[in-house]
Amino acid sequence: MDALHEQSVKIALDYLERTGVCAADAAFDYVGRHVAYQIEQGEGSRLKLSNRAISAFMRHRDNAPLRVIGQSS
């Protein structure tokens, strides 16, 4: 993992955890994939990468269906 990816993911996860949106481990995979995709598309700004990952994760979370634990689907 390169420094740009690592730093961008850390910024995003720190924000999500500090604001109470979710625990960092719950968002790690999604945020990491989103940042990697944006880097592949040519983005090189840590703040843009982390902000876009935060926004994407929050949209994803808001649109994800709710699951009740212990209830079969």
Side-chain angles (χ1 to χ4, degrees):
M1 190 179 333
D2 72 341
L4 177 61
H5 183 270
E6 186 175 337
Q7 292 167 357
S8 300
V9 169
K10 181 175 179 356
I11 291 167
L13 295 177
D14 285 349
Y15 174 83
L16 291 170
E17 194 160 55
R18 286 181 183 206
T19 58
V21 171
C22 70
D25 58 339
F28 182 80
D29 289 337
Y30 186 89
V31 169
R33 285 191 311 269
H34 190 79
V35 169
Y37 173 77
Q38 290 297 313
I39 291 172
E40 289 172 7
Q41 299 303 307
E43 183 55 64
S45 166
R46 279 189 321 246
L47 291 179
K48 283 185 181 178
L49 290 165
S50 57
N51 285 341
R52 289 176 181 172
I54 291 164
S55 295
F57 178 79
M58 293 177 83
R59 281 191 309 272
H60 168 75
R61 179 199 62 169
D62 291 343
N63 292 325
L66 297 176
R67 293 185 314 146
V68 177
I69 296 174
Q71 186 178 35
S72 60
S73 22

